[in-house]
Amino acid sequence: MRHILVTTLHGIIESLTENSHPMQEKYHPQEIEKSAQQYWEKTAAFTSAETSEKPKYYCLSMFPYPSGKLHMGHVRNYTIGDVLSRYRRMQGYNVLQPMGWDAFGLPAENAAMQNNVSPAKWTYDNIAYMRMQLKSLGLGIDWDRELATCDPSYYHWNQWLFLRMLEKGLVYQTTGTVNWDPIDQTVLANEQVIDGCGWRTGAPVEKREIPMYYMKITQYADELLDALDTLPGWPERVRTMQANWIGKSHGVDIVFPADTASGTPQDLKVFTTRADTLMGATYVAVAAEHPIALHAARDNPALHRFIQECKLGATKEADLATQEKKGMDTGLFVIHPLSGERLPVWIANYVLMGYGEGAVMAVPAHDERDFDFARHYSLPVKAVIRPADGDLQLPLTEAYVEYGVTFDSGEYSGLAFQAAVDTIAAALQAKGLGNKRVQYRLRDWGISRQRYWGCPIPLIHCESCGVVPVPDDQLPVALPQDLVPDGSGNPLGRTPSFYECTCPKCGQPARRETDTMDTFVDSSWYYARYTCPDQDKAMTDERANYWLPVDQYIGGIEHAILHLLYSRFWSKVMRDLGLLKIDEPFTNLLTQGMVLNEIFYRKAGSGRITYYNPAEVDIQYDEHGKRSSVSLFADQQPVESGGIGTMSKSKNNGVDPQKLVETYGADTARLFMMFASPPTQTLEWSDAGVDGAYRFLKRLWKQVHTHVEQGIVIIDPALHHASAELGRLRFQLHQTIAKVTDDLDRRHTFNTAIAAIMELMNNLARLQETDSATRNLMQEAMENIVLLLSPIVPHICHALWRELRPGTELLDQPWPQADASALVQDEIKLVVQVNGKLRGEILVLKDADKAAIEQAALENEQVKKFVEGAAIKKIIVVPGKLVNIVV
RNA sequence: GCCGAGGUGGCGGAAUUGGUAGACGCACUGGAUUCAAAAUCCAGCGAUGGUAACAUCAUGGGGGUUCGAUUCCCCCCCUCGGCACCA
């Protein structure tokens, strides 16, 4: 029966192959890739619909900012996504893999200034080029769903949701601190502040308070924190980072009453997580902008100067945290709420108005920062916490910050941390001077940007009606397309055709808001819009319920906090508005490691920095292989090395993959990138190894060619057990199928999957025989190797499959399954150690008992040399692994 | 400064749950093929000693737990990512 079937199949295959061309002997990636891509496009292979019976799988890679060209980080990111998408597709899932453009942002304005073109033109030109680049990589993307956030049909719904949030009280206005360039009279992004100075003017930057709109992400702080436990598909480290960022802490609000005799105008409120140390407070410190500070400075020129000095510099937390701690005594006092002692009020530059109450109680003995400050200004240090099991060495040489037991604290002495906090909080509450409170580190999200190339905030300012929302039927508030910024503020503010409008309430002339939204708003919900990009009546529709949540999200680790937290927040807001039915947008998250490259720059006299691409830099080495000079090819003048950092537009250290794709083909680029390292690992760029990837594909092609030339084979299971050698190879083949499946599915280690296939191919290449059993195995192995590699190098596999199984298409094939019967082994190898050192190997039956294994180990000649004459203390047998003889 | 990762041959990396350190690949060296080169194929390739068999050392540094540590614990050094207006 089987014989007849096989004969018939042979007949079919002969008739199919009769008219087809013989297989090309050499691997020509350009031809193959063009033809494969045309086939995918012609058959709409990656167009996705909601109608399938199959389970859905939504695989999303973070969309790129259209900076001009792809860089290697993009290739890495999108290849990972494509490997997983194609793998799931073969597993029988209905896969959605979309792509779009995070198209608003600062670089477009900078490019516009430099080249005198509008940000719109620059952006859309970049999108066109980068789309072409992405297509040349052969990604299985459903391009029908492409979107760009700078398109009014997209940002319409940013504005619409903003208004809903305003109605719900989730948006409010208050002041926020920005970097102000006093020369250009403009707000600077943190990135535009270099060493505390404006990047274009070199002028020292000042902090300035301006009105801004905020989204109440803190209202969701508890859910955002608690729901992290419902995300087992997220890396532990990302969940930890988010939890720390939200920073929920339990503490006590404490009021230090004003010492009116000293002139203190008001009581001082602070928050502390260490109320147990309250009896050790020796002073209080307030921010430079604190009302008490301003009051004290009114008739004190020195204090006034100090406050002005504190206003200089950038708003970056890293800068503030590392700057030299400076302070000044106000001469004012407050009253310690429990001891009644008078405590001096200091202004300190390390206390920030925007955080908590803008004031802290200082306990130098038990806080490092307070300790350093107290030392510097000779303020008293009073220790009140000692280790639970001993005494504190006094005087202190550094702050003792551990939780311990209170002492020297009057009636609050002898208490452990929690008891001390509880008792002190109760005492404060009894006096009306304190309450326990939960505090978050997380701050509300300021979304106002004084910039042109972003989504307009849909508000109108009317002299008589105040702030009036733009009515829904007037959305979207469209951004003019043709403005060119000049570096001095927002051009929207100089464009009457944009800002002149009438008040929707009273009909009087009014002024449109000219601030635009943070681009993180755009990227907070794009994943939902991909499910229904053509929907012009609503933000999302029922298709979102089919596809969401995203099953696999892939993107750089640099987004671990901000983007991923904002999009979690927005999805919860959308859920609460009835737009989505999900609690969390991304079920599984793969955080890709950064692709790093060296940074080269020159700093002009003005302080302005110009970055040069590594490709433009000539590096000379001396005879010891050490760097002797680094200069620009263009002018042979030296450039500075800025270390290594992530590939980015701003540092101009990206590597364009185009040359790689043109020279070797997309498959080589993809294979090389996946083989270089596991995807989560940081990768320092080097093209060493590209040749190896190309060589491997050439070998693969040749091996299939050699096999096919001798005639293709219909696999006959009866031939599987022809010889022990073939059995071993078949064991390896099916072991490889199992390993590659696990590596792609659970481990996401594509490098080891590729290595396993290489090992298998190396062994197969040693087969010289051409008997039917060998050719049978070769057919089975080649078919499976092509299937296993196809998610990673889809073009070559598409072509090879047509040779191995004429008349069928790779894309219709299921993912291979390891044959359990091929994986059965009678004997296993064990390693024998003596005192933990490898001394020999033994072969034992699969189910040998401990005694038999011990005996075999002791009889091993190599082992005997090390055991003889010594008393055996014990023998450890680790089943399936090793034997360790301890002497 | 704070939060989170990482550090293994000349290089990228492997070792999946505490169990053979260096899989796979690059580079390099030698050989085959070639008029020659490229390409390809074969072999070698952590360090030290040794002709070799082999032995010792070795996973950023120092200490510890264990029969056994790249893996777990403590301290230190370095690199990278994030720090709320780069995206």
Side-chain angles (χ1 to χ4, degrees):
Chain A
M1 174 67 188
R2 194 188 61 235
H3 179 74
I4 295 167
L5 189 69
V6 167
T7 317
T8 318
L9 277 170
H10 269 297
I12 294 169
I13 286 168
E14 267 161 35
S15 68
L16 280 168
T17 46
E18 230 168 8
N19 299 324
S20 61
H21 303 284
M23 184 178 175
Q24 290 244 28
E25 192 183 339
K26 280 206 173 136
Y27 171 47
H28 296 291
Q30 277 72 17
E31 271 170 51
I32 288 165
E33 293 182 1
K34 202 174 142 205
S35 149
Q37 287 171 17
Q38 278 170 355
Y39 172 79
W40 297 331
E41 194 162 342
K42 191 183 76 199
T43 57
F46 303 107
T47 304
S48 48
E50 295 77 29
T51 50
S52 172
E53 293 297 305
K54 301 172 182 172
K56 67 96 183 175
Y57 185 81
Y58 183 0
C59 183
L60 179 66
S61 290
M62 288 180 187
F63 62 171
Y65 178 79
S67 55
K69 297 167 180 173
L70 294 186
H71 56 65
M72 286 300 162
H74 292 125
V75 175
R76 195 182 198 193
N77 198 154
Y78 302 133
T79 303
I80 295 166
D82 200 41
V83 171
L84 295 174
S85 292
R86 286 174 183 270
Y87 165 70
R88 287 289 166 185
R89 186 197 157 96
M90 293 174 81
Q91 289 271 27
Y93 288 86
N94 182 31
V95 172
L96 166 59
Q97 187 179 211
M99 184 56 71
W101 309 96
D102 187 13
F104 274 138
L106 194 55
E109 298 196 25
N110 297 335
M113 277 190 269
Q114 222 164 47
N115 312 321
N116 199 34
V117 292
S118 71
K121 180 170 166 37
W122 183 83
T123 301
Y124 281 110
D125 285 353
N126 289 347
I127 288 175
Y129 182 73
M130 290 170 74
R131 184 193 298 115
M132 179 279 290
Q133 287 193 298
L134 285 176
K135 287 195 170 177
S136 75
L137 285 172
L139 306 170
I141 285 169
D142 181 357
W143 285 102
D144 294 347
R145 295 171 185 264
E146 181 181 356
L147 59 80
T149 57
C150 62
D151 189 318
S153 70
Y154 183 84
Y155 66 70
H156 179 161
W157 304 105
N158 282 3
Q159 297 173 345
W160 183 84
L161 199 82
F162 174 90
L163 295 174
R164 299 295 85 73
M165 289 170 79
L166 190 68
E167 287 162 6
K168 283 194 77 179
L170 284 170
V171 165
Y172 64 95
Q173 196 197 42
T174 185
T175 59
T177 314
V178 294
N179 306 304
W180 181 255
D181 187 317
I183 309 266
D184 268 349
Q185 293 282 299
T186 192
V187 176
L188 297 177
N190 280 340
E191 191 187 52
Q192 298 171 315
V193 178
I194 294 157
D195 300 331
C197 298
W199 68 330
R200 285 161 56 85
T201 62
V205 167
E206 298 165 14
K207 297 187 192 74
R208 185 171 271 216
E209 300 283 319
I210 60 165
M212 300 222 291
Y213 290 94
Y214 285 83
M215 289 187 175
K216 269 196 196 167
I217 189 171
T218 52
Q219 189 164 315
Y220 285 81
D222 265 318
E223 192 192 344
L224 288 167
L225 179 65
D226 295 342
L228 289 171
D229 293 334
T230 69
L231 296 172
W234 281 40
E236 186 68 44
R237 60 165 154 156
V238 175
R239 288 186 281 157
T240 305
M241 279 191 257
Q242 292 215 347
N244 290 341
W245 183 263
I246 294 167
K248 184 176 187 173
S249 60
H250 299 267
V252 181
D253 272 332
I254 302 177
V255 177
F256 289 76
D259 175 45
T260 42
S262 69
T264 308
Q266 62 182 80
D267 294 352
L268 185 78
K269 196 169 162 192
V270 305
F271 175 84
T272 179
T273 56
R274 291 300 303 269
D276 59 319
T277 66
L278 176 59
M279 300 313 285
T282 55
Y283 65 100
V284 295
V286 299
E289 299 89 348
H290 195 278
I292 293 180
L294 298 176
H295 178 87
R298 276 190 322 195
D299 39 35
N300 184 334
L303 270 182
H304 184 77
R305 273 198 304 278
F306 179 67
I307 289 171
Q308 291 307 311
E309 194 190 316
C310 287
K311 281 188 182 166
L312 282 180
T315 57
K316 279 185 254 191
E317 196 197 273
D319 290 351
L320 298 168
T322 49
Q323 72 187 351
E324 196 192 337
K325 309 281 175 287
K326 282 185 190 165
M328 205 166 170
D329 193 351
T330 60
L332 305 177
F333 289 87
V334 290
I335 308 295
H336 190 289
L338 295 182
S339 71
E341 220 177 313
R342 290 168 80 228
L343 301 182
V345 179
W346 281 65
I347 301 173
N349 67 348
Y350 67 82
V351 183
L352 303 170
M353 199 55 217
Y355 301 76
E357 308 291 339
V360 297
M361 72 172 197
V363 185
H366 305 295
D367 180 280
E368 277 173 35
R369 209 170 43 179
D370 296 344
F371 187 86
D372 294 342
F373 193 86
R375 265 206 170 168
H376 191 251
Y377 292 105
S378 306
L379 290 157
V381 177
K382 187 192 174 197
V384 291
I385 306 289
R386 60 169 174 80
D389 54 358
D391 285 327
L392 221 46
Q393 280 281 326
L394 296 175
L396 292 171
T397 52
E398 56 177 358
Y400 177 73
V401 299
E402 311 295 321
Y403 287 170
V405 175
T406 53
F407 74 99
D408 213 357
S409 299
E411 57 186 294
Y412 311 105
S413 296
L415 299 171
F417 170 73
Q418 196 57 55
V421 171
D422 292 346
T423 311
I424 287 172
L428 289 168
Q429 194 165 8
K431 290 186 158 193
L433 292 176
N435 274 301
K436 277 197 182 177
R437 182 162 71 84
V438 170
Q439 162 102 344
Y440 299 91
R441 206 189 77 94
L442 181 68
R443 309 200 299 268
D444 277 337
W445 176 13
I447 58 139
S448 297
R449 299 290 179 271
Q450 298 67 47
R451 271 190 264 290
Y452 160 50
W453 192 238
C455 168
I457 293 175
L459 293 174
I460 288 167
H461 300 274
C462 171
E463 269 189 27
S464 35
C465 307
V467 178
V468 181
V470 174
D472 283 0
D473 60 11
Q474 289 174 29
L475 296 181
V477 175
L479 189 71
Q481 294 285 292
D482 50 1
L483 304 185
V484 178
D486 64 1
S488 64
N490 185 350
L492 289 176
R494 298 189 295 266
T495 307
S497 61
F498 177 77
Y499 66 72
E500 283 178 356
C501 62
T502 51
C503 171
K505 252 189 194 164
C506 68
Q508 292 302 302
R511 187 181 168 96
R512 194 180 292 286
E513 171 70 55
T514 57
D515 278 1
T516 53
M517 293 186 201
D518 181 5
T519 57
F520 273 123
V521 173
D522 311 328
S523 55
S524 287
W525 70 284
Y526 74 111
Y527 66 90
R529 188 66 183 174
Y530 279 136
T531 66
C532 51
D534 54 355
Q535 175 54 264
D536 60 356
K537 302 284 185 291
M539 192 170 187
T540 55
D541 61 30
E542 70 286 351
R543 287 174 285 177
N545 296 330
Y546 174 81
W547 287 112
L548 296 180
V550 172
D551 295 282
Q552 180 69 62
Y553 196 29
I554 304 133
I557 183 69
E558 77 274 24
H559 295 296
I561 295 173
L562 292 180
H563 161 61
L564 285 167
L565 197 61
Y566 291 143
S567 34
R568 292 181 63 217
F569 163 58
W570 259 58
S571 64
K572 288 172 194 298
V573 171
M574 288 176 74
R575 174 201 63 194
D576 291 346
L577 285 162
L579 293 160
L580 301 176
K581 291 183 176 165
I582 51 164
D583 292 320
E584 286 288 336
F586 313 119
T587 307
N588 294 291
L589 174 69
L590 193 161
T591 45
Q592 177 201 207
M594 302 281 75
V595 182
L596 309 179
N597 202 6
E598 191 157 358
I599 298 162
F600 296 101
Y601 69 94
R602 278 184 194 153
K603 196 166 177 178
S606 66
R608 189 165 175 174
I609 289 179
T610 311
Y611 290 95
Y612 297 96
N613 194 278
E616 307 169 62
V617 173
D618 184 12
I619 302 170
Q620 299 286 330
Y621 296 90
D622 65 16
E623 64 271 25
H624 307 291
K626 275 199 164 183
R627 248 181 215 193
S628 54
S629 80
V630 186
S631 59
L632 215 57
F633 281 116
D635 59 14
Q636 292 301 318
Q637 297 303 304
V639 289
E640 301 289 316
S641 170
I644 54 171
T646 167
M647 283 189 186
S648 72
K649 178 86 184 168
S650 60
K651 295 280 165 36
N652 191 13
N653 64 340
V655 172
D656 185 356
Q658 213 51 31
K659 211 178 146 194
L660 197 63
V661 173
E662 278 161 19
T663 314
Y664 297 93
D667 281 338
T668 296
R670 295 169 59 124
L671 178 68
F672 163 66
M673 218 49 211
M674 292 301 94
F675 187 56
S677 78
T680 54
Q681 199 160 303
T682 302
L683 181 65
E684 220 175 301
W685 171 253
S686 152
D687 59 6
V690 173
D691 284 327
Y694 186 57
R695 214 172 286 159
F696 172 75
L697 293 181
K698 279 196 289 189
R699 262 203 314 273
L700 173 69
W701 185 273
K702 194 178 144 200
Q703 218 158 335
V704 171
H705 177 262
T706 309
H707 172 74
V708 166
E709 242 195 347
Q710 299 164 48
I712 48 178
V713 176
I714 301 298
I715 297 164
D716 179 1
L719 293 169
H720 284 344
H721 311 285
S723 75
E725 197 206 348
L726 292 180
R728 276 194 295 276
L729 271 172
R730 194 156 182 276
F731 173 83
Q732 192 189 358
L733 166 62
H734 286 273
Q735 212 179 26
T736 304
I737 293 172
K739 171 160 178 62
V740 171
T741 306
D742 187 43
D743 282 353
L744 262 53
D745 197 313
R746 177 183 63 88
R747 299 216 308 152
H748 297 149
T749 51
F750 311 118
N751 56 331
T752 53
I754 295 163
I757 295 170
M758 285 175 169
E759 276 185 82
L760 175 63
M761 291 220 338
N762 289 345
N763 285 337
L764 287 169
R766 293 196 184 99
L767 277 180
Q768 294 300 319
E769 296 76 14
T770 53
D771 59 281
S772 60
T774 304
R775 303 213 61 242
N776 192 65
L777 175 79
M778 195 57 99
Q779 179 82 29
E780 188 190 9
M782 284 302 148
E783 284 184 15
N784 279 299
I785 286 171
V786 166
L787 291 172
L788 292 175
L789 281 172
S790 69
I792 299 167
V793 284
H795 308 89
I796 189 174
C797 292
H798 166 84
L800 292 175
W801 184 263
R802 287 181 162 188
E803 302 295 343
L804 287 163
R805 286 271 199 98
T808 65
E809 294 294 346
L810 177 89
L811 229 46
D812 302 328
Q813 306 307 312
W815 186 253
Q817 297 274 323
D819 177 357
S821 71
L823 293 173
V824 176
Q825 270 185 308
D826 300 333
E827 284 188 316
I828 51 172
K829 194 184 83 178
L830 291 184
V831 159
V832 185
Q833 299 179 335
V834 179
N835 289 340
K837 282 189 179 171
L838 173 67
R839 296 304 181 190
E841 281 175 5
I842 53 171
L843 216 53
V844 295
L845 288 174
K846 184 182 54 157
D847 35 17
D849 63 9
K850 193 164 185 269
I853 292 170
E854 284 181 11
Q855 192 190 349
L858 290 168
E859 279 168 3
N860 183 282
E861 288 302 321
Q862 279 298 316
V863 174
K864 273 186 186 168
K865 286 202 303 195
F866 293 92
V867 176
E868 257 164 24
I872 293 171
K873 284 186 191 147
K874 63 172 158 179
I875 300 179
I876 292 145
V877 176
V878 183
K881 287 255 164 72
L882 59 70
V883 183
N884 188 14
I885 302 164
V886 185
V887 296

